[in-house]
């Protein structure tokens, strides 16, 4: 989601996190995503 492809533009970190939060518990495992959210918020690898 953070990379531009021919069929969509790159998204900012805030946009990506909003999409993941919206799908959390529906398309994604809630327990796993809570761990991911805790890690990615402080990661140097997060999208800009």
């Amino acid at each position: 989601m953070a990379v531009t492809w021919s069929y969509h533009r790159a998204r900012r970190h805030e946009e990506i996190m909003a999409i993941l939060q919206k799908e959390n518990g529906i398309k994604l495992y809630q327990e796993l995503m809570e761990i991911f959210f805790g890690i990615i918020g402080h990661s140097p690898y997060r999208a800009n």
Side-chain angles (χ1 to χ4, degrees), residues 13-43:
H13 177 77
E14 294 79 16
E15 293 175 285
I16 296 168
M17 295 304 286
I19 292 167
L20 294 176
Q21 282 285 7
K22 181 180 174 184
E23 295 181 354
N24 190 16
I26 299 169
K27 295 182 181 179
L28 307 169
Y29 290 106
Q30 188 170 4
E31 297 85 8
L32 181 60
M33 292 311 297
E34 294 302 324
I35 295 168
F36 174 77
F37 293 143
I39 294 170
I40 200 67
H42 300 74
S43 174

